[in-house]
Amino acid sequence: STGVYFANLPSDSSLPSLPGAIIDSIKSEEPLMIGEFKDANNNKYVMVVNLSVERSTNFSFSTKSGKEKVFLVTPVEKGLEPVLRDRDINNHKNIYWLTAGEGVLIKLES
């Protein structure tokens, strides 16, 4: 883990907010928790969690460089290998949805 950040928290400004080492900014109507990670090969990952247990939300984000390809890591029905689904980012133009309490793992590649 390289950092944990929060966005749109209504009451506690003492918790760390963006920008982080990887994510520059994030847009959402609901509060989010953002975890940033790097593995031994310096691959970058981000976990985004919807902190609302009542409402779904959409979010968009931008990275420090703004040039990475985005891969959503999704579970496979019959196994433990992740499926990477390629998504490009472009300054908050791509929208991702999270149900109440849901999180998503994102891999970023230069």
Side-chain angles (χ1 to χ4, degrees):
S1 173
T2 60
V4 175
Y5 306 93
F6 296 86
N8 302 326
L9 288 179
S11 60
D12 192 346
S13 61
S14 68
L15 295 171
S17 59
L18 294 171
I22 300 169
I23 299 297
D24 189 48
S25 63
I26 198 162
K27 292 182 182 180
S28 172
E29 296 293 322
E30 297 299 325
L32 300 175
M33 181 172 59
I34 302 100
E36 296 182 342
F37 309 88
K38 286 186 182 178
D39 67 14
N41 296 323
N42 211 29
N43 293 308
K44 298 175 187 176
Y45 296 86
V46 176
M47 174 68 80
V48 180
V49 178
N50 179 2
L51 294 178
S52 173
V53 294
E54 298 172 346
R55 291 186 279 285
S56 296
T57 191
N58 62 31
F59 73 95
S60 63
F61 68 93
S62 63
T63 61
K64 291 282 191 173
S65 74
K67 298 178 181 178
E68 294 94 345
K69 281 190 174 182
V70 175
F71 295 88
L72 298 180
V73 180
T74 58
V76 175
E77 222 174 274
K78 296 180 182 179
L80 300 174
E81 292 295 317
V83 174
L84 300 176
R85 295 185 182 165
D86 188 5
R87 300 282 297 263
D88 289 322
I89 60 172
N90 187 7
N91 297 323
H92 293 290
K93 292 184 180 173
N94 280 337
I95 305 281
Y96 303 87
W97 277 94
L98 294 173
T99 60
E102 182 184 21
V104 64
L105 181 63
I106 299 169
K107 181 180 181 184
L108 302 165
E109 289 185 0
S110 299

